[in-house]
């Protein structure tokens, strides 16, 4: 703190100092001005109830705490301070002439005495750097500074009360190193508030004022003398040990380590704080401190249990569905992580299967599918610019014909990819971007893998998109700062343009999400998707009946795992709250055998349970009321594919009998395998006769038809294995009159045979000794 912020004090003569006169042109600042202009070196994050969450260091020049009023300072410290620095503080008028005389006499005889500077004079030096005592023995400068201090001290005593002078001094005086003020010193050295300092701690504090950077032994010796002057009988050896311990402390937080609850959010809020706006002493957030602590501790405990599975990082966010207020924001696992500074709530990660609900919602909204529609969960190969895209399910098995409800509830991959063929990647990407997901490319860039979550998203944006589902398709940005226009969400900071110029030339970044509330989804379709996500029986084929997703209240939830087990998600909502959890490794290393129900789901369930425990609702177990335009219909499935049930339909799409379509009539190609233009490579380590290609047909082909390979009949049209032989081949399906009904070309390559076919017309496929499959007609997927 410097008087230059208010006025510049000019040096005065010795005569003026002795007579108490002053020629200073500008008035001294008032006590209230000094106190108001004081700033802690930290900005304090507060929860919605005003409870401290996090202290964030924002001033690197000095370490200061909150302003401490005189009643907040222990009497022991006030006694020790005045005994050490200014015994006649309440008697003099700024200058202690008795101390001045003693100091002069001591200097004359070269004896060591206490300096003559009073607390008021020292305060003058703290308030104006021109009045501070110089370093390095500049005697003439020291005399001038002393005279200026004396004059200013006299003026301070005339305009300020004694208690104000002492209070300002305690808050502005420098201690050891960068520590300024009694609040920072108490927190750093003694880990307590100034009101709790005892006699020994007060003596150490007073000793540090005299010699801030002295060795611990000298500080302890001086502190022992202060205690003895008070008539106490200290154990100076014990005091020396204790002094050495506290001076070695590196702690500088205003809160205990266990009370530092939201470091990532604190850094984020201050990073986006307007440059021209004064840094606040505190920021009130929408977080709930008790929930924040519970979520952090729950995440850490669960990750400790998963240590043997090579997973150390995680993040949690909790949202209020109605307001979008963030109730919990846990950015990392703290000391468990090797990258604790990475904010997992805002880090970009592949979304995995968590995007599927939004895909199916579009198909239902467009009335292309219903929750009872039958989708084919069987091998499929989709031709792309880089070869065939062949999706696999999580368990590498296929369920055959399944309803949309089962496909989404059990998170089957192939039906989702088939649905994306219908919806198109571009339409899907546009919807995801509208929901605030930070896709940096258009749908064509991601292709069909977008159905399985190949795009990178943040936990915050993904959870808020689920919140839109909870709100019947109504999107609104989340909010983390209480009642402040400067609040920002990841929508404003992560919907960036392509990462580099090369990306920009090949892919156009989607438009950002709307900044205010908007109806982005059909409420009836959103309700159906939420109903599926809350259906325990729909999850059975993949997850079984007993898992962490089954809550005692109504809750819609979805898990997701990215490629190579690098990211595991669980995001879901009840009628009142949305919770999102991510676990994985900040460095991108894969986890070991961690699924959606063993990774993120237990943390999701625990946080959601805690929310409902603290805010009980007698109607929590009941599903939300359906919107207009929905009706229920009892459905029966042909061949008892699935048990009869009551199903939700958008009005006009309902049907009672669900029949299987003829796969033969619906297929784009009657030859299911191999796919056209597939290349097979012989493995030299495997006997030639053991390497075979599967010739497969869609169900329904007449047994009177035949296979014909390179113009020669192979046999009846049934699924068969053919021993691979190098060279280009033409496989035909012919009817009883030898009419070609379908044909595919493929090539088998081996080192001993030269290819007779130009590779320019063949699309490469990375399948060694394995047949590939081909997609059905997108318009005929059922």
């Amino acid at each position: 703190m410097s008087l230059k912020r208010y006025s510049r004090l000019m040096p005065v003569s010795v005569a003026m100092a002795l007579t108490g006169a002053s020629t200073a042109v500008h008035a001294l600042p008032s006590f209230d001005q000094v106190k108001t202009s004081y700033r802690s070196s930290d900005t304090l994050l507060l929860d919605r109830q005003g409870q401290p969450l996090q202290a964030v260091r924002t001033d690197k020049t000095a370490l200061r705490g909150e302003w401490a009023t005189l009643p907040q300072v222990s009497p022991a410290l006030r006694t020790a301070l005045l005994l050490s620095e200014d015994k006649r503080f309440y008697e003099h008028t700024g200058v202690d002439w008795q101390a001045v005389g003693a100091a002069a006499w001591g200097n004359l005889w070269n004896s060591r005495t206490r300096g003559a500077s009073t607390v008021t004079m020292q305060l003058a030096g703290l308030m104006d750097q021109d009045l501070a005592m110089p370093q390095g023995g500049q005697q003439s400068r020291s005399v001038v500074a002393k005279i200026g201090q004396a004059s200013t001290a006299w003026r301070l005593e005339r305009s300020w009360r004694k208690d104000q002078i002492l209070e300002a001094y305690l808050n502005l005086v420098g201690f050891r190193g960068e520590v300024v003020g009694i609040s920072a010193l108490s927190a750093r050295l003694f880990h307590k508030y100034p009101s709790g300092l005892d006699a020994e701690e007060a003596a150490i504090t007073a000793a540090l004022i005299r010699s801030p950077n002295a060795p611990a032994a000298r500080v302890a010796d001086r502190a022992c003398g202060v205690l003895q002057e008070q008539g106490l009988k200290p154990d100076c050896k014990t005091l020396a040990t204790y002094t050495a311990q506290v001076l070695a402390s590196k702690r500088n937080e205003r809160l205990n380590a266990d009370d530092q609850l939201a470091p990532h959010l604190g850094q984020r809020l201050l990073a986006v704080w307007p440059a021209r706006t004064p840094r606040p002493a505190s920021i009130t957030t929408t977080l709930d401190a008790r929930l924040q602590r519970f979520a952090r501790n729950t995440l850490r405990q669960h990750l400790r249990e998963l240590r043997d599975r090579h997973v150390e990082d995680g993040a949690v966010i909790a949202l209020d569905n109605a307001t979008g207020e963030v109730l919990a924001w846990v950015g990392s696992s703290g000391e468990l992580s090797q990258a604790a500074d990475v904010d997992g709530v805002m880090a970009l990660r592949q979304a995995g299967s968590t995007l599927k609900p939004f895909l199916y919602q579009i198909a239902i909204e467009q009335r292309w599918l219903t929750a009872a529609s039958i989708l084919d969960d069987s091998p499929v190969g989709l031709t792309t610019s880089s070869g065939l895209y062949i999706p696999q399910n999580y368990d590498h098995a296929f369920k055959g014909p399944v309803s949309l409800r089962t496909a989404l509830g059990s998170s089957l991959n192939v039906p989702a990819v088939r649905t994306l063929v219908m919806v198109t990647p571009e339409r899907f990407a546009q919807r995801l971007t509208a929901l605030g997901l930070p896709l940096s490319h258009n749908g064509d860039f991601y292709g069909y893998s977008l159905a399985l979550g190949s795009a990178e998203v943040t936990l915050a944006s993904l959870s808020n998109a689920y919140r839109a589902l909870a709100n019947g398709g109504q999107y609104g940005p989340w909010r983390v700062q209480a009642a402040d226009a400067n609040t920002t969400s990841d929508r404003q900071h992560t919907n960036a343009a392509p990462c580099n110029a090369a990306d920009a030339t090949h892919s156009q970044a989607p438009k950002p999400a709307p900044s205010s509330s908007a109806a982005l989804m059909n409420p009836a379709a959103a309700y159906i998707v939420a109903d599926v996500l809350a259906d325990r029986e729909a999850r059975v084929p993949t997850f079984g009946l007993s898992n962490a997703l089954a809550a005692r209240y109504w809750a819609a939830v979805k898990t997701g795992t990215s490629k190579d087990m690098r990211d595991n998600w669980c995001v879901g909502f009840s009628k009142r709250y949305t919770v999102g959890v991510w676990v994985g490794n900040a460095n991108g290393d894969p986890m070991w055998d961690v699924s959606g129900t063993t990774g993120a789901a237990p943390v999701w369930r625990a946080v959601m349970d805690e929310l409902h425990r603290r805010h009980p609702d007698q109607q929590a177990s009941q599903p939300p009321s359906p919107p207009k335009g929905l009706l229920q219909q009892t459905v029966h499935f042909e061949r008892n594919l699935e048990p009869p049930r009551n199903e939700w339909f958008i009005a006009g799409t309902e049907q009672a009998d669900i029949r299987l379509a003829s796969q033969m009539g619906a297929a784009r190609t009657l030859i299911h395998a191999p796919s056209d233009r597939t290349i097979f490579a012989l493995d030299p380590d495997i006997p030639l006769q053991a390497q075979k290609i599967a010739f497969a047909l869609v169900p329904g082909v007449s047994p009177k038809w035949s296979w014909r390979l390179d113009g020669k009949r192979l046999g009846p049209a049934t699924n068969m294995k053919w021993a691979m032989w190098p060279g280009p081949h033409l496989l035909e399906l012919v009817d009883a009159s030898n009419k070609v009904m379908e044909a595919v070309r493929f090539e088998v390559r081996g080192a001993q045979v030269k290819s007779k076919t130009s590779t320019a017309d063949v699309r490469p496929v990375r399948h060694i000794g394995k047949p590939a499959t081909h997609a059905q007609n997108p318009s005929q997927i059922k």
Side-chain angles (χ1 to χ4, degrees):
M1 177 63 60
S2 171
L3 286 180
K4 290 183 176 181
R5 298 183 61 176
Y6 316 98
S7 63
R8 183 176 180 84
L9 299 178
M10 304 300 294
V12 293
S13 67
V14 176
M16 290 180 177
L18 294 175
T19 58
S22 174
T23 59
V25 176
H26 301 291
L28 291 170
S30 68
F31 171 78
D32 290 337
Q33 286 176 316
V34 172
K35 183 176 180 180
T36 301
S37 299
Y38 176 88
R39 286 289 182 272
S40 165
S41 59
D42 295 341
T43 293
L44 196 62
L45 238 64
L46 305 176
D47 84 338
R48 60 199 304 116
Q49 302 297 334
Q51 296 298 314
L53 282 169
Q54 183 73 36
V56 183
R57 181 76 178 270
T58 49
D59 185 349
K60 306 300 183 181
T61 61
L63 181 64
R64 294 181 298 273
E66 290 290 337
W67 181 278
T69 63
L70 201 56
Q72 293 174 329
V73 178
S74 73
L77 176 57
R78 283 179 272 170
T79 299
L81 169 67
L82 294 181
L83 187 63
S84 174
E85 296 297 313
D86 196 348
K87 294 180 179 178
R88 285 171 287 277
F89 173 72
Y90 288 105
E91 301 171 11
H92 62 66
T93 57
V95 179
D96 185 349
W97 298 109
Q98 184 176 340
V100 170
W105 183 258
N107 289 334
L108 178 64
W109 295 99
N110 292 322
S111 62
R112 297 178 61 186
T113 63
R114 186 183 70 81
S117 292
T118 64
V119 164
T120 313
M121 292 172 65
Q122 292 181 52
L123 177 61
L126 295 172
M127 295 171 63
D128 190 333
Q129 61 184 5
D130 285 347
L131 301 181
M133 296 303 294
Q135 303 295 322
Q138 301 176 23
Q139 188 64 30
S140 60
R141 177 73 180 88
S142 176
V143 172
V144 173
K146 282 286 187 182
I147 294 173
Q149 284 185 2
S151 173
T152 305
W154 182 81
R155 297 172 60 209
L156 279 171
E157 292 274 356
R158 294 187 63 187
S159 56
W160 288 25
R161 301 192 310 269
K162 286 285 187 179
D163 62 319
Q164 293 176 333
I165 292 172
L166 186 56
E167 181 176 315
Y169 176 78
L170 283 167
N171 284 281
L172 300 182
V173 67
F175 290 96
R176 198 172 187 85
E178 63 176 353
V179 179
V180 173
I182 188 58
S183 290
L185 181 83
S186 298
R188 181 163 187 168
L189 264 60
F190 308 113
H191 308 164
K192 59 174 65 174
Y193 292 107
S195 60
L197 297 180
D198 59 24
E200 290 187 347
E201 294 164 341
I204 295 172
T205 301
L208 284 172
I209 294 177
R210 181 72 60 84
S211 303
N213 297 309
R218 188 184 303 174
V219 174
D221 183 63
R222 173 61 187 154
C224 191
V226 172
L227 292 171
Q228 290 171 343
E229 286 189 71
Q230 298 179 59
L232 302 176
K233 298 180 180 180
D235 182 344
C236 293
K237 290 185 178 180
T238 303
L239 181 62
T241 301
Y242 178 61
T243 302
Q245 290 175 344
V246 298
L247 293 185
S249 173
K250 299 297 183 182
R251 186 169 183 168
N252 59 6
E253 298 93 349
R254 289 164 58 189
L255 299 175
N256 294 331
D258 190 56
D259 293 329
Q260 297 281 9
L261 297 175
H264 302 90
L265 179 59
Q267 293 291 349
R268 174 178 171 76
L269 286 176
L270 290 171
V272 299
W273 197 265
R276 297 183 180 180
T277 303
R279 178 180 58 84
S282 64
I283 300 175
T284 301
T285 71
T286 61
L287 268 60
D288 183 314
R290 288 193 301 163
L291 180 68
Q292 178 76 6
R293 185 185 300 278
F294 178 87
R296 183 199 65 179
N297 293 346
T298 299
L299 176 66
R300 290 181 179 180
Q301 178 59 36
H302 185 61
L303 290 178
R304 288 189 185 98
E305 297 171 1
L306 293 178
R307 263 184 174 171
D308 60 343
R309 302 193 187 185
H310 194 60
V311 52
E312 64 180 29
D313 291 295
V316 182
I317 189 172
L319 302 167
D320 183 288
N321 289 343
T323 64
E325 293 178 346
V326 178
L327 305 177
W329 180 303
V330 181
S332 83
S333 57
E335 69 273 7
L336 301 180
S337 173
Q338 298 183 48
D341 292 336
V342 176
D343 186 356
V345 174
M346 297 303 300
L348 290 168
R349 305 282 180 182
Q350 283 194 339
S353 293
T354 57
L355 300 184
K356 291 176 182 175
F358 308 105
L359 172 62
Y360 287 114
Q361 191 277 332
I362 295 175
I364 295 173
E365 178 180 276
Q366 296 296 321
R367 304 191 175 204
W368 297 331
L369 296 174
T370 70
S373 294
I374 302 301
L375 300 172
D376 185 16
D377 183 29
S378 61
V380 62
L382 301 175
T383 303
T384 68
S385 59
S386 58
L388 286 181
Y389 175 61
I390 305 177
Q392 298 288 327
N393 285 324
Y394 178 81
D395 58 2
H396 301 289
F398 298 95
K399 306 297 188 293
V402 294
S403 68
L404 184 151
R405 178 175 290 271
T406 299
L408 175 56
S410 294
S411 196
L412 302 179
N413 287 342
V414 175
V417 173
R418 293 182 186 274
T419 301
L420 183 58
V421 173
M422 180 189 307
V423 171
T424 74
E426 182 57 27
R427 185 195 297 266
F428 188 31
Q430 290 176 357
R431 172 60 59 84
L432 294 176
T433 303
L435 287 168
L437 299 178
L439 274 63
S440 56
H441 304 282
N442 59 26
D444 291 337
F445 175 87
Y446 301 105
Y448 299 123
S449 66
L450 187 59
L452 309 185
S454 60
E456 293 183 327
V457 302
T458 66
L459 180 61
S461 63
L462 182 62
S463 300
N464 196 52
Y466 271 75
R467 174 177 156 255
L469 271 177
N471 290 333
Q474 190 77 18
Y475 168 86
W478 50 267
R479 183 163 62 88
V480 75
Q481 190 175 332
D484 195 293
N486 291 320
T487 299
T488 57
S489 71
D490 68 320
R491 163 186 59 80
Q492 296 167 284
H493 294 277
T494 59
N495 283 337
C499 299
N500 52 55
D503 288 336
T505 59
H506 296 289
S507 176
Q508 180 181 2
K511 295 180 180 179
S515 58
S516 58
S517 181
L520 298 180
M521 292 181 275
N522 178 287
Y527 184 92
I528 292 174
V529 169
D531 183 70
V532 172
L533 295 178
D535 188 347
R536 300 183 186 186
E537 293 185 2
R539 305 188 196 114
V540 169
T542 297
F543 302 105
L545 276 174
S546 179
N547 53 68
L549 307 178
R552 291 172 304 205
Y553 40 84
W554 185 92
V557 58
K558 184 75 184 70
T559 62
T561 303
S562 67
K563 184 179 179 182
D564 297 328
M565 295 283 186
R566 297 183 186 278
D567 307 283
N568 184 247
W569 309 80
C570 186
V571 189
F573 52 88
S574 63
K575 289 190 289 187
R576 185 169 178 179
Y577 303 107
T578 296
V579 174
V581 180
W582 166 82
V583 298
N585 294 298
N587 60 5
D589 285 349
M591 300 172 288
W592 300 340
D593 192 27
V594 176
S595 67
T597 55
T598 61
V603 179
W604 173 86
R605 172 69 181 278
V607 174
M608 191 67 86
D609 284 352
E610 176 67 9
L611 282 165
H612 283 269
R613 184 190 66 80
R614 295 177 54 193
H615 304 283
D617 180 4
Q618 294 181 351
Q619 303 297 320
S621 61
Q622 301 299 318
S625 300
K628 293 182 179 180
L630 270 182
L631 56 84
Q632 269 193 320
Q633 170 77 53
T634 301
V635 296
H636 298 270
F637 293 87
E638 184 182 17
R639 303 177 192 171
N640 293 320
L641 180 67
E642 294 184 6
R645 63 171 181 256
N646 290 330
E647 188 59 89
W648 288 104
F649 292 91
I650 295 178
T653 66
E654 67 274 11
Q655 55 185 131
D657 297 317
I658 309 299
R659 299 183 180 277
L660 299 176
S662 168
Q663 288 185 280
M664 178 179 172
R668 182 173 63 183
T669 175
L670 302 177
I671 300 176
H672 198 60
S675 296
D676 193 32
R677 299 184 181 183
T678 301
I679 298 173
F680 299 91
L682 287 166
D683 190 332
D685 296 327
I686 301 175
L688 184 62
Q689 63 271 19
Q691 302 186 56
K692 298 182 179 182
I693 297 175
F695 293 168
L697 297 164
V698 298
V701 172
S702 172
K704 296 182 180 181
W705 294 6
S706 304
W707 288 113
R708 191 164 65 189
L709 180 65
D710 299 331
K712 298 180 179 180
R713 185 179 183 278
L714 283 182
T718 58
N719 294 343
M720 61 177 296
K721 295 289 183 67
W722 173 74
M724 296 171 64
W725 187 256
H729 301 283
L730 172 65
L731 178 65
E732 298 171 304
L733 179 65
V734 298
D735 63 9
S737 61
N738 284 329
K739 178 182 178 182
V740 177
M741 305 302 296
E742 192 69 59
V744 296
R745 293 183 181 275
F746 64 94
E747 183 178 358
V748 178
R749 293 183 179 177
Q752 70 274 32
V753 178
K754 272 191 175 182
S755 172
K756 298 179 181 178
T757 304
S758 170
T759 59
D761 192 41
V762 180
R763 300 186 180 185
V765 180
R766 298 182 181 90
H767 290 274
I768 305 297
K770 294 182 180 180
T773 55
H774 203 281
Q776 291 184 342
N777 186 331
S779 65
Q780 298 296 328
I781 294 179
K782 298 296 183 182

